[in-house]
Amino acid sequence: MAPEAETAWQRLDLWLWCARTAKTRTECARQVAAGRVRINSQRTDKPHFKLRPGDVLTFGMGSDVRVWRVLALASRRGPASEARGLYEDLSDPAPP
């Protein structure tokens, strides 16, 4: 692994906020602290968890369970169209 790849990470709560899972970063941190987020099938309660591209997140969003693969780290909290480029949605499609 290249040295740059080893240092490429972002705080979990910050990434979730940039990916627009909640309106505030504090709300994202609360969700993580409550143990409602899994990373690579491991539950975490640490908002400061070092998230890297390739990690798979499992979390609840509303009444749905989302499974996302991290494709990129966020440089800022942009519009929703930019946020969708941060992850690949692996969730089962909603029933018709």
Side-chain angles (χ1 to χ4, degrees), residues 31-89:
Q31 294 292 324
V32 175
R36 295 186 182 135
V37 177
R38 290 180 180 260
I39 301 169
N40 301 325
S41 300
Q42 300 287 328
R43 182 175 285 179
T44 185
D45 60 355
K46 299 176 181 170
H48 63 273
F49 183 90
K50 292 181 178 181
L51 191 68
R52 293 177 169 85
D55 286 343
V56 176
L57 302 175
T58 306
F59 60 96
M61 184 180 272
S63 62
D64 297 329
V65 174
R66 298 288 184 181
V67 181
W68 289 355
R69 176 175 292 122
V70 177
L71 298 178
L73 302 177
S75 58
R76 67 185 188 108
R77 186 171 199 244
S81 58
E82 188 176 306
R84 282 189 294 272
L86 298 176
Y87 60 87
E88 173 187 2
D89 193 350

